[in-house]
Amino acid sequence: MSWLSIVALAIQTAIGFQGASYALAASGLNLQFGYTGLSNFGHVGFLLVGAYGMGISADRGWSIWAGFALGIGAAIVLGLLLGIPTLRLRGDYLAIVTIAAAEILRLVANARPSEPLTGGSRGIGGLSGRLGFFEPNFIPEGRYGLGDSLVFNSRQLWSMLWTWGLVLLVTLLIRALVRSPFGRVLRSIREDEDAAKALGKNVVVFKLQSFVLGGTIGALAGAFIALDSGAVTPSRWIAPLTFALYTVVILGGAGTVWGPVAGAVVYWFVLDAVDGVLNNLWFDVSDTTSGAVRLALMGIGLMALMVFRPQGILGNKKEMLAGAR
Amino acid sequence: MPADGPLADVAAEVGVAKPDPILVVDGVERRYGGLMAVDVEHLEVPRGVITALIGPNGAGKTTFFNLLCGFDRPDAGRWTFQGQEASGVKPHVLARRGMVRTFQLTKTLGRMTVLDNMLLAGKDQAGEAFWRALVPPTWRDQEAANLERAHDLLGRFKLDHLTDEYAAGLSGGQRKLLEMARALMAEPTLVMLDEPMAGVNPALTQSLLGHVTALRDEGMSVLFVEHDMDVIMTISDWVVCMAEGRVIAEGRPADIAGNDAVIEAYLGIDHGGTVTGEIR
Ligand SMILES: Nc1ncnc2c1ncn2[C@@H]1O[C@H](COP(=O)(O)OP(=O)(O)O)[C@@H](O)[C@H]1O
Ligand SMILES: [Mg+2]
């Protein structure tokens, strides 16, 4: 395989559904962590409920809209359930509770007694067909793109259209929020909760709003991941996904409007390019070996980024340094 | 020198009643393990004047402040603010009612600009509601008015050249100024300042003092913690002295200067050392 096609494949992943779904999920995390300073270490739990909302809806013969409603509803309930008791306490409690909750959700989905609802360890398959996700697809069959490698089929384009469309919508929503007095309060909570309280802000309510909205955005990402792949299995919703999303947020620039988008695109480009190089030029070994090496290289790359550009791709260096003082 | 006006006839006794007090405290206690950090039987903070809260290091002044503002919970006792029950009330509610504090260790919002620090403090902002935040026309006028007020206050505190700087980049003294300006932005009736002069260079101390007296002249009540006796004698109308959690003396500055209990508290505990500028 040529260098060019490796780059082309990496671009395909970065601007394709992978990049879009990570950008969407990371947008929710960016609102919580980047703007409000909430350490949600169980973001994957929100993606999980969004995905299972789709799966369960397909199993019951309900519509795709019921799937969205179920996932979003569950995310709101989850957000309130985790947020109300912990957001009035110190930040560490939220971190502990969210990481545990996400793990519990995955184990429960995986457990045998849950089989009638979640399909247990096998999960739920064939759901995009049953939900008719691709039915309204007006893009004619065919291959779209450049050359041999940077191509998408009509189904991929359909997924991308919806997911990137939603990324745009969510980003504009967050942009409007963070530029308003509401967003100013969120940032003040990130900087110093007590100062915000002393100025009359009901910080618990603001934190709860940010946490629930961010979680709901995560659930939407989960729902689209289920629709695109056509299946939900419990093994997908593990803690490393949360950490990958943190990587995306920090890479792009925490607390910046377009950071999650830039972060997701660059994350997948680098990951896939490294993959391609390892797999096809030197190693030509199984995915599992290069998988470990690729993560190690990703780690080194991130460390380099933190050294040379600690504020992330789109971050403001002055603001970053202000925080370090 | 401040006029003795409304406090002229008030006796210099611990727990003495005052005409029209803004804050009335009864039996407030706060323990840390075996240590009684605060034990105030009765205290009335007068309205419209500057009250200094003094006392040696560890006397319980900051703890008392935290209790009054709702940042900490007492083991016993109650208090009223402007005649309304204030014990057990959340800090943000008290702030909205007009009890606005600053912190001994300044809490400026580092990764926000000086201007954003100010705008945050604006009262009852429509744009802070989630849905209205998305509809700028519902809050734009209020924001413009707040912006004007913020610029005015920043000018008054000589911070106008720093408007767009991140607050983290300010010097210690500038942060104290910003915190006070920000408190004013919240339209308080009682301003509570915890050691506003600590760690500030002498030139800035003078300007801070000017700002504190200006608050009173604009009709606000001020309760502030301070160590420096010269400062206290110059600007306060009433002085409350705490030691080991209790109020041991109250009175006009002149009454306090010659009070044996106060002298003993300072000299006895601090072994004659200076009691200015400590940081904890
Ligand atoms: N969080 C705490 N835990 C234990 N003891 C405390 C705590 N905060 C204050 N204290 C103690 O309470 C007493 C009063 O402290 P403080 O209110 O800070 O005094 P001041 O502000 O007058 O210097 C001191 O003896 C201090 O050591
Ligand atoms: Mg103190």
Side-chain angles (χ1 to χ4, degrees):
Chain A
M1 209 182 271
S2 70
W3 286 102
L4 199 64
S5 66
I6 287 173
V7 171
L9 277 174
I11 292 175
Q12 192 204 28
T13 314
I15 67 170
F17 180 76
Q18 299 274 55
S21 58
Y22 271 52
L24 187 57
S27 298
L29 193 60
N30 187 39
L31 181 67
Q32 298 170 334
F33 172 73
Y35 282 107
T36 324
L38 302 175
S39 307
N40 171 13
F41 282 122
H43 199 47
V44 71
F46 289 95
L47 274 76
L48 181 152
V49 298
Y52 273 98
M54 279 301 164
I56 290 165
S57 184
D59 254 0
R60 304 283 121 115
W62 299 340
S63 73
I64 193 168
W65 302 112
F68 280 121
L70 202 59
I72 291 172
I76 292 172
V77 171
L78 182 64
L80 294 175
L81 221 58
L82 300 182
I84 289 172
T86 55
L87 288 176
R88 43 185 87 235
L89 304 173
R90 259 196 355 244
D92 341 13
Y93 290 93
L94 182 70
I96 295 164
V97 166
T98 47
I99 198 166
E103 200 62 0
I104 290 168
L105 280 171
R106 183 176 62 80
L107 292 172
V108 166
N110 188 59
R112 180 152 288 166
S114 323
E115 263 174 26
L117 193 66
T118 65
S121 58
R122 277 173 296 108
I124 301 167
L127 56 85
S128 30
R130 283 187 277 168
L131 292 168
F133 175 54
F134 292 102
E135 262 163 41
N137 189 357
F138 52 79
I139 305 165
E141 292 278 330
R143 288 160 57 82
Y144 300 87
L146 298 167
D148 293 329
S149 304
L150 183 51
V151 287
F152 299 100
N153 65 32
S154 101
R155 283 166 73 95
Q156 287 172 317
L157 281 179
W158 181 248
S159 279
M160 284 163 62
L161 184 70
W162 283 99
T163 316
W164 279 123
L166 201 58
V167 168
L168 183 68
L169 226 73
V170 162
T171 305
L172 292 178
L173 172 85
I174 290 177
R175 190 173 83 136
L177 280 177
V178 301
R179 290 180 172 188
S180 74
F182 176 85
R184 194 158 56 212
V185 178
L186 296 191
R187 280 181 291 135
S188 78
I189 292 170
R190 177 190 72 193
E191 296 302 305
D192 196 316
E193 224 173 276
D194 281 341
K197 278 186 203 165
L199 295 171
K201 315 301 171 193
N202 191 353
V203 299
V204 177
V205 169
F206 285 97
K207 287 201 281 186
L208 204 55
Q209 286 173 324
S210 165
F211 185 59
V212 170
L213 179 61
T216 305
I217 294 167
L220 280 172
F224 274 96
I225 290 172
L227 287 172
D228 178 75
S229 66
V232 209
T233 48
S235 58
R236 199 185 165 129
W237 316 104
I238 49 178
L241 180 50
T242 299
F243 300 132
L245 293 171
Y246 266 97
T247 308
V248 167
V249 169
I250 293 165
L251 191 64
T256 61
V257 170
W258 296 99
V261 174
V265 169
V266 171
Y267 175 90
W268 276 112
F269 178 82
V270 172
L271 204 61
D272 228 49
V274 168
D275 238 14
V277 171
L278 288 177
N279 259 336
N280 301 299
L281 290 184
W282 296 317
F283 285 83
D284 197 20
V285 287
S286 67
D287 252 354
T288 43
T289 317
S290 69
V293 178
R294 116 215 228 214
L295 283 179
L297 285 177
M298 187 83 198
I300 292 168
L302 272 176
M303 276 161 60
L305 180 90
M306 288 299 104
V307 171
F308 295 110
R309 220 182 146 72
Q311 72 275 30
I313 297 164
L314 297 180
N316 176 337
K317 182 141 197 184
K318 229 175 130 198
E319 180 180 341
M320 173 79 199
L321 291 178
R325 260 184 245 206
Chain B
M1 283 294 281
D4 271 13
L7 296 170
D9 302 326
V10 178
E13 292 164 5
V14 172
V16 68
K18 299 171 187 83
D20 189 28
I22 190 164
L23 191 63
V24 180
V25 183
D26 272 300
V28 168
E29 294 176 10
R30 177 69 166 102
R31 282 182 213 93
Y32 287 118
L35 177 86
M36 192 69 129
V38 169
D39 180 9
V40 174
E41 259 172 47
H42 185 83
L43 177 68
E44 298 186 6
V45 176
R47 186 190 298 272
V49 300
I50 298 173
T51 305
L53 183 60
I54 66 169
N57 219 338
K61 304 178 299 292
T62 296
T63 308
F64 190 43
F65 253 51
N66 287 342
L67 292 170
L68 294 179
C69 299
F71 277 83
D72 189 9
R73 293 190 167 248
D75 296 299
R78 53 200 309 151
W79 61 100
T80 60
F81 173 59
Q82 312 215 73
Q84 250 184 317
E85 182 76 35
S87 30
V89 177
K90 295 248 156 55
H92 70 271
V93 178
L94 288 175
R96 283 187 208 166
R97 284 194 202 159
M99 186 196 275
V100 179
R101 71 169 301 182
T102 65
F103 295 87
Q104 181 169 353
L105 299 172
T106 46
K107 290 187 183 289
T108 41
L109 307 161
R111 279 188 293 164
M112 290 170 69
T113 63
V114 166
L115 185 61
D116 269 350
N117 266 268
M118 293 297 289
L119 290 173
L120 175 74
K123 225 179 165 181
D124 301 323
Q125 297 190 47
E128 285 177 2
F130 181 84
W131 293 110
R132 264 187 283 178
L134 298 172
V135 191
T138 62
W139 48 265
R140 208 169 267 147
D141 289 349
Q142 190 185 24
E143 183 83 353
N146 281 344
L147 202 60
E148 197 171 321
R149 244 171 69 73
H151 280 300
D152 276 356
L153 280 167
L154 287 175
R156 195 167 123 192
F157 280 80
K158 301 211 165 47
L159 292 169
D160 38 357
H161 61 295
L162 298 166
T163 305
D164 297 319
E165 295 291 323
Y166 286 109
L170 269 53
S171 71
Q174 288 168 334
R175 286 189 217 187
K176 290 268 180 199
L177 282 172
L178 174 58
E179 220 190 2
M180 202 188 283
R182 195 176 66 185
L184 289 198
M185 186 77 193
E187 300 175 47
T189 44
L190 173 64
V191 190
M192 301 184 47
L193 308 167
D194 196 352
E195 303 209 14
M197 276 56 125
V200 171
N201 72 52
L204 215 52
T205 302
Q206 279 313 311
S207 98
L208 273 163
L209 287 180
H211 290 304
V212 175
T213 42
L215 301 184
R216 176 194 56 201
D217 299 340
E218 283 168 35
M220 283 170 253
S221 313
V222 180
L223 178 65
F224 82 115
V225 173
E226 183 49 52
H227 280 294
D228 190 321
M229 274 298 177
D230 287 340
V231 167
I232 293 156
M233 294 301 150
T234 326
I235 70 164
S236 50
D237 304 297
W238 193 258
V239 182
V240 175
C241 181
M242 281 180 82
E244 293 171 17
R246 300 164 167 277
V247 175
I248 56 164
E250 268 194 74
R252 281 159 294 269
D255 304 322
I256 291 299
N259 186 301
D260 290 340
V262 174
I263 293 165
E264 197 193 305
Y266 268 95
L267 299 185
I269 294 174
D270 284 301
H271 307 290
T274 59
V275 285
T276 46
E278 126 275 26
I279 297 172
R280 57 141 282 141

